[in-house]
Amino acid sequence: LKCVVTSDIPIAQGLGSSAAATVAGAAIAEIWRKGDADKQAVFEDAIEIEGHADNAAAATFGGLQAALIMGGETQATPLKLHDELRIALAVPSQTLKESTGATRQWLPEQLKRTEAVSNQRALLTLLYGLKTGKREAIAAGFDDRLHVPHRKAMIAGFDDIVSSALDAGAYGVTISGAGGAMIAIGRGDMQPVADAMKDAYERHGMQATGLTPGVDTVGLLVEKS
């Protein structure tokens, strides 16, 4: 078996590269064994390999996905993403972490009740904002109390990056996954936002690339020649 692997996803930057690779590998295995790649079977294989389903759900099914545990099984559930929302990224040239697992060790084992309640409210507000495209809801939904306060120290100029993106028109800005890439959401042309985050990174001594990827709505796609 000879494989040629190409990927446009920056590695180890909190952008889901490992989940995408896992889904692709699981799909190849399914095709090798069965002649076809059933998405649900690939998703289940990817969960077993990755140990968590969040990025695997999006990589397999595309779009905005929630990984819900119901009846002891994890199910990928599509959520509404407003058609006019767009994304900007700033990806540093250096990998700022060893692995997602390593950065999870930075997170507290316990949260104060007020912070836990705040995070639940922020998540619901963010989902509402992503569905409706409302700026105020997305901004409020990005007010994270679990991940960002403990991970932002690894990103040089974090506050400057956030404020620069907001000034350039972003609705909300935060760390992408476990970092170190930064992600912003807004409408219209997001290149000025990506450039603003890139420039802010570089003001603090870190070379970066500004990207404006589209939102994939297909997920796993198998093409046979």
Side-chain angles (χ1 to χ4, degrees), residues 40-53:
Q40 182 61 33
V42 169
F43 177 55
E44 292 171 1
D45 290 344
I47 295 173
E48 184 176 353
I49 296 168
E50 280 274 287
H52 52 91

Side-chain angles (χ1 to χ4, degrees), residues 6-17:
T6 61
S7 176
D8 294 327
I9 307 173
I11 296 173
Q13 297 287 11
L15 296 169
S17 61

Side-chain angles (χ1 to χ4, degrees), residues 64-84:
L64 180 62
Q65 296 282 337
L68 305 180
I69 299 177
M70 295 180 283
E73 296 183 355
T74 304
Q75 299 183 24
T77 305
L79 302 175
K80 174 63 178 176
L81 180 67
H82 196 279
D83 293 338
E84 294 182 8

Side-chain angles (χ1 to χ4, degrees), residues 44 60 134 209 222:
E44 292 171 1
T60 305
K134 291 187 176 181
T209 302
V222 177

